[in-house]
């Protein structure tokens, strides 16, 4: 019930931007569960800032772009009809960078690797946040997705799990196929990340604090005068 709306990373063209789609899906699930609303962030914004290309990217770059440059609403930089337009503006325009910094004033974003992640470790981590994982995409056998000993090639989000006699089966939310997937208990996960998002306290500017102090001061004088 806390999954975000499905947004494909390759509807009109392939972006190889799974690190950005996966990280934002992870954050949007977190927001829906913890803060009670579902944002829709611009993949295009962080794709450009993270330096993603058609050769793909390191997930760390996507998360660091969020930690340092923030997030902006999708309506400001939506997915256009061509890849050439998708990778613009580069360098990123100041008005969008300002929006990202505004988001960072409202939220503190942290991310951390899970060391040598196993299905058991991901299951434990799901108590605290969705867990983004690397997987081998996509080989289906009897309703579960296996790796067949091949290296991980994709970044997506584990949002839950089920267990049976086969072991821990992770529930995956993906940026392909309009689908949720079930990961085989023996599917190798090379790397995984958990996140923490906290609201920053609202800070009043210095002028408002002075006005508030003066109002309280004179209100206190008035209360004392009325008691006399």
């Amino acid at each position: 019930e806390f999954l975000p709306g499905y947004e494909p990373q390759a509807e009109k063209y392939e972006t190889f931007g799974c690190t950005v789609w996966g990280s934002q899906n992870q954050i949007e699930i977190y927001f829906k569960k913890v803060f009670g609303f579902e944002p829709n962030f611009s993949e295009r914004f962080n794709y450009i800032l993270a330096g993603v290309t058609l050769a793909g990217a390191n997930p760390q770059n996507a998360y660091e772009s969020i930690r340092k440059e923030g997030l902006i609403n999708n309506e400001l930089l939506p997915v256009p009809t061509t890849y050439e337009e998708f990778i613009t503006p580069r360098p990123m325009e100041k008005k969008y960078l300002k929006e990202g910094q505004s988001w960072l004033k409202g939220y503190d974003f942290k991310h951390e690797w899970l060391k040598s992640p196993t299905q058991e470790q991901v299951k434990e981590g799901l108590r605290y946040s969705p867990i983004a994982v690397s997987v081998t995409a996509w080989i289906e056998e009897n309703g579960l997705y296996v790796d067949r000993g091949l290296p991980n090639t994709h970044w997506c989000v584990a949002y839950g799990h089920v267990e049976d006699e086969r072991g821990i089966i992770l529930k995956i939310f993906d940026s392909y196929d309009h689908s949720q997937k079930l990961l085989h208990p023996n599917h190798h996960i090379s790397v995984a990340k958990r996140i923490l998002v906290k609201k920053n306290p609202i800070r009043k500017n210095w002028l408002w604090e002075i006005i508030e102090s003066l109002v309280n001061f004179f209100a206190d004088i008035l209360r004392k005068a009325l008691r006399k």
Side-chain angles (χ1 to χ4, degrees):
E1 62 185 293
F2 300 108
L3 295 182
Y6 170 76
E7 294 178 289
Q9 70 173 68
E11 183 176 37
K12 300 171 183 175
Y13 41 84
E14 178 58 78
T15 63
F16 294 95
C18 61
T19 56
V20 173
W21 264 259
S23 60
Q24 290 197 5
N25 282 335
Q26 185 181 19
I27 295 169
E28 289 171 2
I29 293 170
Y30 190 106
F31 262 71
K32 198 170 182 179
K33 169 65 175 176
V34 176
F35 301 126
F37 70 97
E38 180 183 341
N40 183 15
F41 299 120
S42 168
E43 292 87 4
R44 183 175 163 192
F45 177 72
N46 295 100
Y47 184 100
I48 294 170
L49 292 176
V52 184
T53 68
L54 295 180
N58 185 332
Q60 183 74 0
N61 296 340
Y63 285 82
E64 282 293 274
S65 78
I66 296 169
R67 187 180 70 84
K68 295 177 180 179
E69 306 291 351
L71 295 157
I72 68 173
N73 290 332
N74 186 65
E75 61 188 22
L76 296 176
L77 276 179
V79 176
T81 55
T82 67
Y83 180 74
E84 289 70 25
E85 186 179 0
F86 179 78
I87 57 175
T88 62
R90 184 176 286 179
M92 184 56 61
E93 293 180 12
K94 290 183 178 180
K95 62 180 179 180
Y96 299 126
L97 292 172
K98 185 177 179 181
E99 284 289 331
Q101 291 302 311
S102 178
W103 185 86
L104 287 176
K105 289 179 181 178
Y107 296 97
D108 183 29
F109 173 75
K110 291 181 170 62
H111 59 95
E112 183 178 45
W113 293 109
L114 274 65
K115 296 179 181 179
S116 303
T118 63
Q119 271 74 357
E120 182 65 39
Q121 190 181 19
V122 173
K123 170 189 169 183
E124 174 65 19
L126 285 169
R127 297 170 57 193
Y128 308 103
S129 88
I131 304 295
V133 295
S134 64
V135 298
T136 302
W138 284 114
I139 307 167
E140 188 267 333
E141 290 182 1
N142 301 317
L144 301 179
Y145 286 86
V146 299
D147 61 38
R148 290 185 183 172
L150 298 173
N152 288 174
T153 56
H154 187 47
W155 188 252
C156 49
V157 184
Y159 66 90
H161 75 280
V162 294
E163 291 188 59
D164 60 21
E165 67 280 358
R166 294 168 293 183
I168 299 171
I169 299 170
L170 296 177
K171 296 180 178 181
I172 298 295
F173 183 69
D174 194 25
S175 48
Y176 283 112
D177 306 329
H178 288 268
S179 64
Q180 298 156 40
K181 299 177 171 69
L182 297 175
L183 210 61
H184 192 282
N186 295 329
H187 194 120
H188 177 65
I189 299 171
S190 296
V191 291
K193 267 190 183 290
R194 60 186 177 185
I195 61 171
L196 175 67
V197 187
K198 290 184 177 181
K199 280 186 178 181
N200 290 324
I202 298 174
R203 301 179 65 179
K204 300 171 183 176
N205 63 47
W206 63 271
L207 181 59
W208 176 254
E209 289 178 346
I210 292 174
I211 294 172
E212 191 175 59
S213 296
L214 289 173
V215 169
N216 291 334
F217 175 74
F218 286 112
D220 188 52
I221 292 175
L222 180 60
R223 282 194 295 269
K224 290 177 180 178
L226 290 175
R227 281 199 294 268
K228 293 178 181 180

